[in-house]
Amino acid sequence: MNRSELVAALSERAEVTRKDADAVLAAFAEVVGDVVAKGDEKVTIPGFLTFERTHRAARTARNPQTGDPIQIPAGFSVKVSAGSKLKEAAKGK
């Protein structure tokens, strides 16, 4: 399902216009992005998803072409965890 299909499904389910559903989806993505960028808290939708920023330590890797070691600096990543209701839906129950 791509974005336009998701917007269509949301607008039908919530009985709102596609424009309104698209605005809500865009606002949701923006708010989650802002919270994750700050990194001091996580976004949780109980039973569905949790978004949080995680720290990745610096590490040594290898260049696959030459085999030379390269240093990868420390940084941040995003962790998305599925909630219980989403896990049950994936099992088909």
Side-chain angles (χ1 to χ4, degrees):
M1 175 179 277
N2 61 30
R3 182 185 175 103
S4 61
E5 292 169 341
L6 178 59
V7 167
L10 286 172
S11 68
E12 184 178 315
R13 182 79 53 104
E15 297 178 356
V16 297
T17 65
R18 286 187 182 198
K19 185 177 181 181
D20 290 343
D22 188 51
V24 169
L25 185 60
F28 174 75
E30 188 175 320
V31 169
V32 169
D34 290 346
V35 171
V36 168
K38 288 179 187 173
D40 55 353
E41 60 184 324
K42 56 185 173 182
V43 177
T44 301
I45 304 171
F48 185 59
L49 287 174
T50 300
F51 302 89
E52 67 181 305
R53 181 169 122 172
T54 59
H55 183 265
R56 293 183 60 155
R59 61 194 187 279
T60 303
R62 295 222 174 257
N63 181 331
Q65 290 183 335
T66 64
D68 294 336
I70 54 174
Q71 287 296 102
I72 299 175
F76 297 98
S77 183
V78 177
K79 178 181 174 184
V80 180
S81 303
S84 59
K85 291 178 185 174
L86 187 59
K87 288 178 183 179
E88 289 298 318
K91 290 179 184 177
K93 294 182 179 181

